[in-house]
Amino acid sequence: MAKTALITGITGQDASYLAEFLLNKGYKVFGTTRRSSTVNNERIKHIEDKIEILSADLLDSSSLVAAVRESQPDEVYNLAAQSFVKTSWDQPVLTGEFTGIGVTRMLEAVRTVKPDAKFYQASSSEMFGKVVEVPQTETTRFYPRSPYGVAKVYGHYITLNYRESFNMFACSGILFNHESPRRGLEFVTRKISNAVAKISLGKQDKLELGNLDAKRDWGFAGDYVEAMWMMLQHDTPDDYVVATGETHSVQEFVELSFKTVGIEDWQKYVVSNHPKHLRPAEVDHLIGDYSKAKSVLGWEPKTSFPQLVEMMVKADVELEKSR
Ligand code: NAP
Ligand code: F7E
Protein backbone atom coordinates (compact mmCIF):
# COMPACT_ATOMS: atom_id res chain seq x y z
CA MET A 1 0.00 0.00 0.00
CA ALA A 2 1.20 3.52 -0.74
CA LYS A 3 2.81 5.29 2.20
CA THR A 4 1.64 8.66 3.47
CA ALA A 5 3.95 11.54 4.39
CA LEU A 6 3.21 14.77 6.20
CA ILE A 7 5.64 17.63 5.52
CA THR A 8 5.48 20.78 7.63
CA GLY A 9 6.49 24.01 5.85
CA ILE A 10 5.46 22.77 2.40
CA THR A 11 6.03 26.21 0.82
CA GLY A 12 9.75 26.10 1.70
CA GLN A 13 12.76 25.18 -0.45
CA ASP A 14 13.43 21.71 0.99
CA ALA A 15 9.78 20.71 1.22
CA SER A 16 9.28 21.38 -2.49
CA TYR A 17 12.12 18.99 -3.42
CA LEU A 18 11.08 16.43 -0.81
CA ALA A 19 7.47 16.46 -2.00
CA GLU A 20 8.62 15.84 -5.60
CA PHE A 21 10.88 13.04 -4.40
CA LEU A 22 8.14 11.33 -2.36
CA LEU A 23 5.52 11.70 -5.11
CA ASN A 24 7.95 9.94 -7.47
CA LYS A 25 8.17 7.11 -4.96
CA GLY A 26 4.37 6.78 -4.95
CA TYR A 27 3.69 8.45 -1.59
CA LYS A 28 0.51 10.30 -0.76
CA VAL A 29 1.84 13.69 0.33
CA PHE A 30 0.24 16.14 2.77
CA GLY A 31 1.87 19.49 3.44
CA THR A 32 1.16 22.23 5.96
CA THR A 33 1.00 25.94 5.24
CA ARG A 34 0.34 28.81 7.59
CA ARG A 35 -2.19 31.50 6.91
CA SER A 36 -0.92 34.43 4.87
CA SER A 37 -2.67 37.30 3.13
CA THR A 38 -1.06 36.51 -0.22
CA VAL A 39 -0.53 33.26 -2.07
CA ASN A 40 2.88 31.90 -1.26
CA ASN A 41 3.07 28.67 -3.23
CA GLU A 42 5.59 29.45 -6.00
CA ARG A 43 7.86 26.53 -5.19
CA ILE A 44 5.07 23.94 -5.28
CA LYS A 45 2.89 25.35 -8.06
CA HIS A 46 3.92 22.52 -10.41
CA ILE A 47 2.81 19.78 -7.97
CA GLU A 48 -0.05 21.51 -6.17
CA ASP A 49 -2.71 19.29 -7.70
CA LYS A 50 -0.84 16.19 -6.48
CA ILE A 51 -0.50 17.11 -2.81
CA GLU A 52 -3.01 17.87 -0.05
CA ILE A 53 -2.53 21.14 1.74
CA LEU A 54 -3.47 21.46 5.41
CA SER A 55 -3.45 24.68 7.39
CA ALA A 56 -1.23 24.52 10.49
CA ASP A 57 1.07 26.84 12.39
CA LEU A 58 3.98 25.84 14.64
CA LEU A 59 2.58 28.19 17.30
CA ASP A 60 -0.78 26.44 17.37
CA SER A 61 -0.76 22.94 18.84
CA SER A 62 -4.37 22.18 17.96
CA SER A 63 -3.69 22.87 14.28
CA LEU A 64 -0.70 20.50 14.35
CA VAL A 65 -2.77 17.80 16.06
CA ALA A 66 -5.48 18.26 13.43
CA ALA A 67 -2.91 17.97 10.61
CA VAL A 68 -1.61 14.67 11.99
CA ARG A 69 -5.16 13.40 12.58
CA GLU A 70 -6.26 14.34 9.08
CA SER A 71 -3.22 12.88 7.28
CA GLN A 72 -2.57 9.77 9.44
CA PRO A 73 1.06 9.79 8.22
CA ASP A 74 3.54 6.93 8.13
CA GLU A 75 6.31 9.54 8.01
CA VAL A 76 6.45 13.12 9.30
CA TYR A 77 9.10 15.55 8.03
CA ASN A 78 9.30 18.58 10.30
CA LEU A 79 10.82 21.18 7.97
CA ALA A 80 8.91 24.30 9.06
CA ALA A 81 10.97 26.90 10.92
CA GLN A 82 12.08 30.51 10.99
CA SER A 83 15.20 29.59 9.02
CA PHE A 84 17.04 32.85 8.36
CA VAL A 85 19.93 33.20 10.81
CA LYS A 86 20.23 37.01 10.54
CA THR A 87 16.56 37.52 11.41
CA SER A 88 16.98 35.41 14.52
CA TRP A 89 18.76 38.32 16.26
CA ASP A 90 15.88 40.67 15.39
CA GLN A 91 13.23 38.16 16.47
CA PRO A 92 14.92 35.89 19.01
CA VAL A 93 11.79 34.98 20.96
CA LEU A 94 9.77 34.21 17.85
CA THR A 95 12.66 32.14 16.48
CA GLY A 96 12.75 30.20 19.75
CA GLU A 97 9.01 29.60 19.54
CA PHE A 98 8.99 28.47 15.89
CA THR A 99 12.33 26.78 15.48
CA GLY A 100 12.73 25.42 19.02
CA ILE A 101 9.48 24.87 20.94
CA GLY A 102 7.63 24.27 17.65
CA VAL A 103 9.49 20.95 17.43
CA THR A 104 8.05 19.86 20.78
CA ARG A 105 4.57 20.87 19.65
CA MET A 106 5.00 18.75 16.53
CA LEU A 107 6.45 15.79 18.44
CA GLU A 108 3.56 15.99 20.93
CA ALA A 109 1.04 16.04 18.08
CA VAL A 110 2.63 12.90 16.63
CA ARG A 111 2.96 11.17 20.02
CA THR A 112 -0.70 11.86 20.83
CA VAL A 113 -2.29 11.02 17.49
CA LYS A 114 0.04 8.70 15.55
CA PRO A 115 2.90 7.56 17.81
CA ASP A 116 4.10 4.91 15.36
CA ALA A 117 4.77 7.53 12.63
CA LYS A 118 8.44 7.99 11.81
CA PHE A 119 9.64 11.52 12.52
CA TYR A 120 12.37 13.56 10.81
CA GLN A 121 13.69 16.75 12.43
CA ALA A 122 15.52 19.34 10.32
CA SER A 123 18.59 19.99 12.46
CA SER A 124 21.37 22.24 11.23
CA SER A 125 25.12 22.70 11.02
CA GLU A 126 24.48 26.09 12.67
CA MET A 127 24.43 24.07 15.91
CA PHE A 128 28.23 23.69 15.53
CA GLY A 129 28.64 27.48 15.27
CA LYS A 130 32.05 28.38 16.67
CA VAL A 131 33.38 24.96 15.83
CA VAL A 132 35.35 22.95 18.35
CA GLU A 133 36.42 20.31 15.82
CA VAL A 134 37.17 20.14 12.07
CA PRO A 135 35.42 18.53 10.23
CA GLN A 136 32.18 18.31 12.21
CA THR A 137 30.60 14.91 12.89
CA GLU A 138 27.57 13.61 14.81
CA THR A 139 29.67 13.64 18.00
CA THR A 140 31.15 17.14 17.69
CA ARG A 141 30.10 19.32 20.64
CA PHE A 142 27.60 22.07 19.74
CA TYR A 143 28.52 25.75 20.17
CA PRO A 144 25.67 27.70 18.51
CA ARG A 145 26.33 31.35 17.64
CA SER A 146 22.85 32.74 16.99
CA PRO A 147 19.35 32.52 18.48
CA TYR A 148 18.57 30.33 15.44
CA GLY A 149 21.44 27.95 16.28
CA VAL A 150 20.38 27.81 19.93
CA ALA A 151 16.77 27.03 18.94
CA LYS A 152 17.98 24.24 16.61
CA VAL A 153 20.02 22.70 19.45
CA TYR A 154 16.83 22.59 21.52
CA GLY A 155 14.94 21.00 18.59
CA HIS A 156 17.72 18.48 18.14
CA TYR A 157 17.80 17.36 21.77
CA ILE A 158 14.03 17.26 22.21
CA THR A 159 13.86 14.93 19.19
CA LEU A 160 16.49 12.68 20.74
CA ASN A 161 14.65 12.88 24.06
CA TYR A 162 11.33 11.74 22.53
CA ARG A 163 13.16 8.86 20.87
CA GLU A 164 14.63 7.76 24.21
CA SER A 165 11.61 8.58 26.42
CA PHE A 166 8.76 7.29 24.27
CA ASN A 167 10.56 4.92 21.95
CA MET A 168 9.47 7.00 18.96
CA PHE A 169 11.19 6.50 15.61
CA ALA A 170 12.60 10.03 15.65
CA CYS A 171 15.66 11.01 13.58
CA SER A 172 17.58 14.20 13.32
CA GLY A 173 19.40 15.19 10.14
CA ILE A 174 22.24 17.62 10.83
CA LEU A 175 22.22 19.23 7.41
CA PHE A 176 24.91 21.62 6.26
CA ASN A 177 23.92 24.54 3.98
CA HIS A 178 22.04 23.36 0.93
CA GLU A 179 20.97 25.60 -1.87
CA SER A 180 19.11 25.57 -5.18
CA PRO A 181 17.42 27.88 -7.66
CA ARG A 182 14.49 27.75 -5.20
CA ARG A 183 16.53 29.15 -2.30
CA GLY A 184 15.07 32.26 -0.65
CA LEU A 185 16.55 35.49 -2.03
CA GLU A 186 17.84 36.60 1.39
CA PHE A 187 20.34 33.73 1.69
CA VAL A 188 23.80 34.57 0.40
CA THR A 189 24.04 32.07 -2.47
CA ARG A 190 20.74 33.04 -4.07
CA LYS A 191 21.34 36.71 -3.36
CA ILE A 192 24.59 36.39 -5.32
CA SER A 193 23.25 34.26 -8.19
CA ASN A 194 20.27 36.56 -8.66
CA ALA A 195 22.33 39.76 -8.50
CA VAL A 196 24.92 38.36 -10.92
CA ALA A 197 22.13 37.44 -13.34
CA LYS A 198 20.68 40.95 -13.12
CA ILE A 199 24.12 42.58 -13.48
CA SER A 200 24.82 40.49 -16.59
CA LEU A 201 21.52 41.69 -18.06
CA GLY A 202 22.12 45.34 -17.15
CA LYS A 203 19.31 45.39 -14.55
CA GLN A 204 21.50 46.00 -11.47
CA ASP A 205 24.92 47.56 -10.93
CA LYS A 206 25.94 46.80 -7.33
CA LEU A 207 25.89 43.79 -5.03
CA GLU A 208 26.12 44.64 -1.32
CA LEU A 209 27.36 41.80 0.85
CA GLY A 210 28.64 41.27 4.39
CA ASN A 211 31.54 38.99 5.31
CA LEU A 212 33.12 37.46 2.19
CA ASP A 213 35.54 35.33 4.24
CA ALA A 214 32.88 33.10 5.84
CA LYS A 215 33.22 29.50 4.67
CA ARG A 216 30.42 27.04 4.21
CA ASP A 217 29.95 23.43 3.14
CA TRP A 218 27.39 24.03 0.39
CA GLY A 219 25.41 21.23 -1.25
CA PHE A 220 22.35 20.92 -3.50
CA ALA A 221 18.96 20.71 -1.75
CA GLY A 222 17.71 18.13 -4.28
CA ASP A 223 20.46 15.73 -3.14
CA TYR A 224 19.85 16.34 0.56
CA VAL A 225 16.13 15.48 0.67
CA GLU A 226 17.02 11.93 -0.35
CA ALA A 227 19.12 11.63 2.84
CA MET A 228 16.08 12.71 4.91
CA TRP A 229 14.03 9.92 3.40
CA MET A 230 16.83 7.34 3.77
CA MET A 231 17.05 8.07 7.51
CA LEU A 232 13.40 7.08 7.92
CA GLN A 233 13.82 3.88 5.87
CA HIS A 234 16.64 2.56 8.07
CA ASP A 235 15.90 -0.13 10.71
CA THR A 236 16.72 2.10 13.66
CA PRO A 237 16.32 5.83 14.27
CA ASP A 238 19.53 7.84 14.57
CA ASP A 239 21.16 11.20 13.81
CA TYR A 240 23.26 11.89 10.72
CA VAL A 241 25.45 14.64 9.32
CA VAL A 242 24.57 15.45 5.71
CA ALA A 243 27.24 17.49 3.92
CA THR A 244 29.64 17.46 0.97
CA GLY A 245 32.92 17.40 2.92
CA GLU A 246 34.14 20.50 1.04
CA THR A 247 34.20 24.09 2.16
CA HIS A 248 34.23 27.31 0.12
CA SER A 249 34.21 30.98 1.02
CA VAL A 250 31.48 33.44 0.11
CA GLN A 251 34.10 35.14 -2.08
CA GLU A 252 34.64 31.90 -4.03
CA PHE A 253 30.89 31.72 -4.61
CA VAL A 254 30.95 35.32 -5.86
CA GLU A 255 33.93 34.77 -8.20
CA LEU A 256 32.53 31.61 -9.73
CA SER A 257 29.09 33.16 -10.19
CA PHE A 258 30.50 36.13 -12.11
CA LYS A 259 32.69 33.78 -14.15
CA THR A 260 29.56 31.85 -15.19
CA VAL A 261 28.25 34.98 -16.97
CA GLY A 262 31.69 35.84 -18.39
CA ILE A 263 32.60 38.63 -15.93
CA GLU A 264 36.15 38.39 -14.49
CA ASP A 265 36.45 41.81 -12.74
CA TRP A 266 33.80 41.05 -10.09
CA GLN A 267 35.36 43.55 -7.63
CA LYS A 268 33.90 46.35 -9.77
CA TYR A 269 30.39 45.33 -8.75
CA VAL A 270 30.74 44.05 -5.17
CA VAL A 271 30.62 46.03 -1.93
CA SER A 272 31.83 43.88 0.99
CA ASN A 273 31.52 44.25 4.77
CA HIS A 274 28.31 46.22 4.38
CA PRO A 275 27.16 46.86 7.98
CA LYS A 276 23.59 45.82 7.14
CA HIS A 277 24.78 42.30 6.32
CA LEU A 278 27.25 41.73 9.16
CA ARG A 279 26.10 39.60 12.11
CA PRO A 280 26.54 40.17 15.85
CA ALA A 281 28.36 36.81 15.98
CA GLU A 282 29.61 35.00 12.90
CA VAL A 283 30.02 31.32 12.09
CA ASP A 284 33.36 31.44 10.31
CA HIS A 285 34.01 28.00 8.97
CA LEU A 286 31.85 24.90 8.53
CA ILE A 287 32.79 21.59 6.95
CA GLY A 288 30.90 18.36 7.53
CA ASP A 289 32.00 14.74 7.66
CA TYR A 290 29.19 12.67 6.13
CA SER A 291 30.91 9.29 6.49
CA LYS A 292 28.21 7.89 8.81
CA ALA A 293 25.43 8.74 6.29
CA LYS A 294 27.56 7.12 3.59
CA SER A 295 28.39 3.92 5.44
CA VAL A 296 25.03 3.34 7.19
CA LEU A 297 22.53 4.78 4.69
CA GLY A 298 24.52 4.62 1.45
CA TRP A 299 23.96 8.36 0.89
CA GLU A 300 26.41 10.57 -1.00
CA PRO A 301 26.13 14.06 -2.50
CA LYS A 302 25.83 14.09 -6.29
CA THR A 303 26.23 17.78 -7.16
CA SER A 304 29.64 19.50 -7.01
CA PHE A 305 30.22 23.09 -5.91
CA PRO A 306 30.87 24.38 -9.47
CA GLN A 307 27.75 22.53 -10.71
CA LEU A 308 25.66 24.11 -7.95
CA VAL A 309 26.90 27.63 -8.71
CA GLU A 310 26.32 27.18 -12.43
CA MET A 311 22.84 25.72 -11.89
CA MET A 312 21.80 28.66 -9.70
CA VAL A 313 23.26 31.42 -11.89
CA LYS A 314 21.85 29.95 -15.11
CA ALA A 315 18.40 29.53 -13.55
CA ASP A 316 18.46 33.16 -12.40
CA VAL A 317 19.56 34.38 -15.82
CA GLU A 318 16.56 32.59 -17.36
CA LEU A 319 14.26 33.92 -14.65
CA GLU A 320 15.45 37.51 -15.06
CA LYS A 321 15.25 37.31 -18.88
CA SER A 322 11.61 36.28 -18.58
CA ARG A 323 10.72 39.27 -16.35
P1 NAP B 1 12.59 27.73 4.14
O1 NAP B 1 12.67 27.75 2.66
O2 NAP B 1 12.80 28.99 4.91
O3 NAP B 1 11.15 27.11 4.53
C1 NAP B 1 10.66 27.18 5.84
C2 NAP B 1 9.20 26.79 5.86
O4 NAP B 1 8.70 26.90 7.20
C3 NAP B 1 8.28 27.67 4.99
O5 NAP B 1 7.32 26.86 4.37
C4 NAP B 1 7.61 28.57 6.02
O6 NAP B 1 6.35 29.05 5.62
C5 NAP B 1 7.45 27.58 7.17
N1 NAP B 1 7.18 28.25 8.45
C6 NAP B 1 7.86 29.26 9.01
N2 NAP B 1 7.30 29.60 10.18
C7 NAP B 1 6.23 28.79 10.36
C8 NAP B 1 5.23 28.66 11.35
N3 NAP B 1 5.20 29.42 12.44
N4 NAP B 1 4.28 27.71 11.21
C9 NAP B 1 4.27 26.92 10.12
N5 NAP B 1 5.18 26.99 9.13
C10 NAP B 1 6.16 27.93 9.25
O7 NAP B 1 13.61 26.66 4.75
P2 NAP B 1 14.42 25.46 4.01
O8 NAP B 1 15.71 26.01 3.52
O9 NAP B 1 13.52 24.72 3.13
O10 NAP B 1 14.79 24.57 5.28
C11 NAP B 1 13.89 23.58 5.77
C12 NAP B 1 14.24 23.26 7.21
O11 NAP B 1 15.60 22.82 7.29
C13 NAP B 1 14.15 24.44 8.18
O12 NAP B 1 13.76 23.92 9.43
C14 NAP B 1 15.58 24.94 8.27
O13 NAP B 1 15.80 25.62 9.48
C15 NAP B 1 16.34 23.64 8.19
N6 NAP B 1 17.69 23.69 7.62
C16 NAP B 1 17.91 24.28 6.43
C17 NAP B 1 19.19 24.26 5.89
C18 NAP B 1 19.47 24.88 4.55
O14 NAP B 1 20.67 25.09 4.25
N7 NAP B 1 18.47 25.12 3.72
C19 NAP B 1 20.23 23.61 6.58
C20 NAP B 1 19.95 23.00 7.78
C21 NAP B 1 18.67 23.01 8.31
P3 NAP B 1 6.18 30.45 4.81
O15 NAP B 1 6.48 30.11 3.37
O16 NAP B 1 4.78 30.80 5.08
O17 NAP B 1 7.18 31.41 5.38
O1 F7E C 1 24.81 33.01 5.16
C1 F7E C 1 27.63 35.37 4.93
C2 F7E C 1 26.93 35.20 6.28
O2 F7E C 1 22.37 33.50 5.27
C3 F7E C 1 25.97 32.28 4.82
C4 F7E C 1 20.27 28.66 6.65
O3 F7E C 1 19.69 27.81 5.69
O4 F7E C 1 22.36 27.49 6.53
C5 F7E C 1 21.76 28.76 6.39
O5 F7E C 1 22.31 29.69 7.32
C6 F7E C 1 27.20 33.10 5.14
C7 F7E C 1 27.20 33.73 6.54
O6 F7E C 1 23.19 31.12 5.50
C8 F7E C 1 25.93 38.07 3.21
O7 F7E C 1 27.49 36.10 7.24
C9 F7E C 1 27.98 37.51 3.65
O8 F7E C 1 28.47 33.58 7.12
O9 F7E C 1 23.27 32.18 3.33
P1 F7E C 1 23.33 32.50 4.75
P2 F7E C 1 23.56 30.63 6.98
O10 F7E C 1 23.55 31.73 7.94
O11 F7E C 1 24.80 29.80 6.88
C10 F7E C 1 22.19 26.86 7.81
C11 F7E C 1 22.84 25.51 7.76
C12 F7E C 1 20.79 26.85 8.27
O12 F7E C 1 20.37 25.95 8.99
C13 F7E C 1 19.99 28.10 8.03
O13 F7E C 1 18.59 27.81 8.12
O14 F7E C 1 27.27 34.19 4.22
N1 F7E C 1 27.18 36.55 4.17
N2 F7E C 1 27.25 38.46 3.07
C14 F7E C 1 25.90 36.86 3.92
N3 F7E C 1 24.75 36.23 4.19
C15 F7E C 1 23.60 36.78 3.76
N4 F7E C 1 22.43 36.14 4.00
N5 F7E C 1 23.58 37.97 3.07
C16 F7E C 1 24.72 38.67 2.78
O15 F7E C 1 24.67 39.72 2.18
Coordinates of all heavy atoms in Angstrom, one line a residue, residues 4-5 9 22-23 69 72 74 76 78 81 101 106 121 165 189 191 202 204 226 228 321:
T4 N 2.1 7.3 3.4 CA 1.6 8.7 3.5 C 2.7 9.5 4.2 O 3.2 9.0 5.3 CB 0.3 8.7 4.2 OG1 -0.7 8.0 3.5 CG2 -0.2 10.2 4.4
A5 N 3.0 10.6 3.7 CA 3.9 11.5 4.4 C 3.3 12.9 4.7 O 2.5 13.4 3.9 CB 5.2 11.8 3.5
G9 N 5.8 23.0 6.6 CA 6.5 24.0 5.8 C 6.6 23.7 4.4 O 7.6 23.8 3.8
L22 N 9.1 12.3 -2.9 CA 8.1 11.3 -2.4 C 7.0 11.0 -3.3 O 6.6 9.8 -3.4 CB 7.6 11.9 -1.0 CG 8.6 12.0 0.1 CD1 7.9 12.7 1.3 CD2 9.2 10.7 0.5
L23 N 6.6 12.0 -4.1 CA 5.5 11.7 -5.1 C 6.1 10.7 -6.1 O 5.4 9.8 -6.5 CB 5.1 13.0 -5.8 CG 4.2 13.9 -5.0 CD1 4.1 15.3 -5.7 CD2 2.8 13.3 -4.7
R69 N -3.9 14.2 12.6 CA -5.2 13.4 12.6 C -5.7 13.2 11.2 O -6.1 12.2 10.7 CB -6.2 14.0 13.5 CG -7.4 13.1 13.7 CD -8.5 13.8 14.6 NE -8.1 14.1 15.9 CZ -8.1 15.3 16.5 NH1 -8.6 16.3 15.8 NH2 -7.7 15.4 17.7
Q72 N -2.9 11.1 9.0 CA -2.6 9.8 9.4 C -1.3 9.3 8.8 O -1.2 8.3 8.1 CB -3.7 8.8 9.1 CG -5.0 9.0 10.0 CD -4.7 8.7 11.5 OE1 -4.1 7.7 11.8 NE2 -5.2 9.6 12.3
D74 N 2.5 7.9 7.8 CA 3.5 6.9 8.1 C 4.8 7.6 8.5 O 5.6 7.2 9.3 CB 3.8 6.0 6.9 CG 2.5 5.2 6.5 OD1 2.0 4.5 7.4 OD2 2.1 5.5 5.4
V76 N 6.6 11.7 9.1 CA 6.5 13.1 9.3 C 7.8 13.8 9.1 O 8.8 13.4 9.7 CB 5.9 13.4 10.7 CG1 5.9 14.9 11.0 CG2 4.6 12.8 11.0
N78 N 9.5 17.3 9.7 CA 9.3 18.6 10.3 C 10.3 19.6 9.8 O 11.4 19.8 10.3 CB 9.4 18.5 11.8 CG 9.0 19.8 12.5 OD1 8.1 20.5 12.0 ND2 9.7 20.2 13.5
A81 N 10.2 26.2 9.9 CA 11.0 26.9 10.9 C 11.2 28.3 10.4 O 11.0 28.6 9.3 CB 12.4 26.3 11.1
I101 N 10.7 25.5 20.3 CA 9.5 24.9 20.9 C 8.5 24.3 19.9 O 7.8 23.3 20.2 CB 8.7 25.9 21.8 CG1 9.7 26.6 22.8 CG2 7.5 25.3 22.5 CD1 10.1 25.8 24.0
M106 N 5.2 19.7 17.6 CA 5.0 18.7 16.5 C 5.2 17.3 17.1 O 4.4 16.4 16.7 CB 6.0 19.1 15.4 CG 5.7 18.5 14.1 SD 4.0 19.0 13.5 CE 3.6 17.6 12.6
Q121 N 13.5 15.4 12.0 CA 13.7 16.7 12.4 C 14.8 17.4 11.6 O 15.9 16.8 11.5 CB 14.0 16.8 13.9 CG 14.5 18.1 14.5 CD 13.6 19.3 14.2 OE1 12.4 19.2 13.8 NE2 14.1 20.5 14.3
S165 N 12.7 8.6 25.4 CA 11.6 8.6 26.4 C 10.4 7.7 26.0 O 9.9 7.0 26.8 CB 11.1 10.0 26.7 OG 12.1 10.9 27.1
T189 N 23.8 32.7 -1.2 CA 24.0 32.1 -2.5 C 23.0 32.6 -3.5 O 23.4 33.0 -4.6 CB 23.9 30.5 -2.4 OG1 22.6 30.3 -1.8 CG2 25.0 29.9 -1.6
K191 N 21.2 35.3 -3.2 CA 21.3 36.7 -3.4 C 22.4 37.0 -4.4 O 22.2 37.8 -5.3 CB 21.7 37.3 -2.0 CG 21.9 38.8 -2.0 CD 22.2 39.3 -0.6 CE 22.6 40.7 -0.6 NZ 23.0 41.2 0.7
G202 N 22.2 43.9 -17.3 CA 22.1 45.3 -17.1 C 21.0 45.8 -16.3 O 20.6 47.0 -16.4
Q204 N 21.0 45.7 -12.8 CA 21.5 46.0 -11.5 C 23.0 46.4 -11.6 O 23.6 45.8 -12.5 CB 21.3 44.8 -10.5 CG 21.7 45.0 -9.1 CD 21.3 43.8 -8.2 OE1 20.4 43.1 -8.4 NE2 22.1 43.6 -7.2
E226 N 17.0 13.4 -0.3 CA 17.0 11.9 -0.3 C 17.6 11.4 1.0 O 17.1 10.3 1.4 CB 17.9 11.5 -1.5 CG 17.9 10.0 -1.7 CD 18.6 9.5 -3.0 OE1 19.4 10.3 -3.6 OE2 18.4 8.3 -3.3
M228 N 17.2 12.7 3.9 CA 16.1 12.7 4.9 C 15.2 11.4 4.8 O 14.9 10.8 5.8 CB 15.1 13.9 4.6 CG 15.8 15.3 4.7 SD 14.6 16.5 4.2 CE 15.6 18.0 4.2
K321 N 15.6 37.0 -17.5 CA 15.3 37.3 -18.9 C 13.8 37.3 -19.1 O 13.2 38.1 -19.9 CB 15.9 36.2 -19.8 CG 17.3 36.5 -20.2 CD 17.7 35.5 -21.2 CE 19.1 35.5 -21.6 NZ 19.6 34.2 -22.2

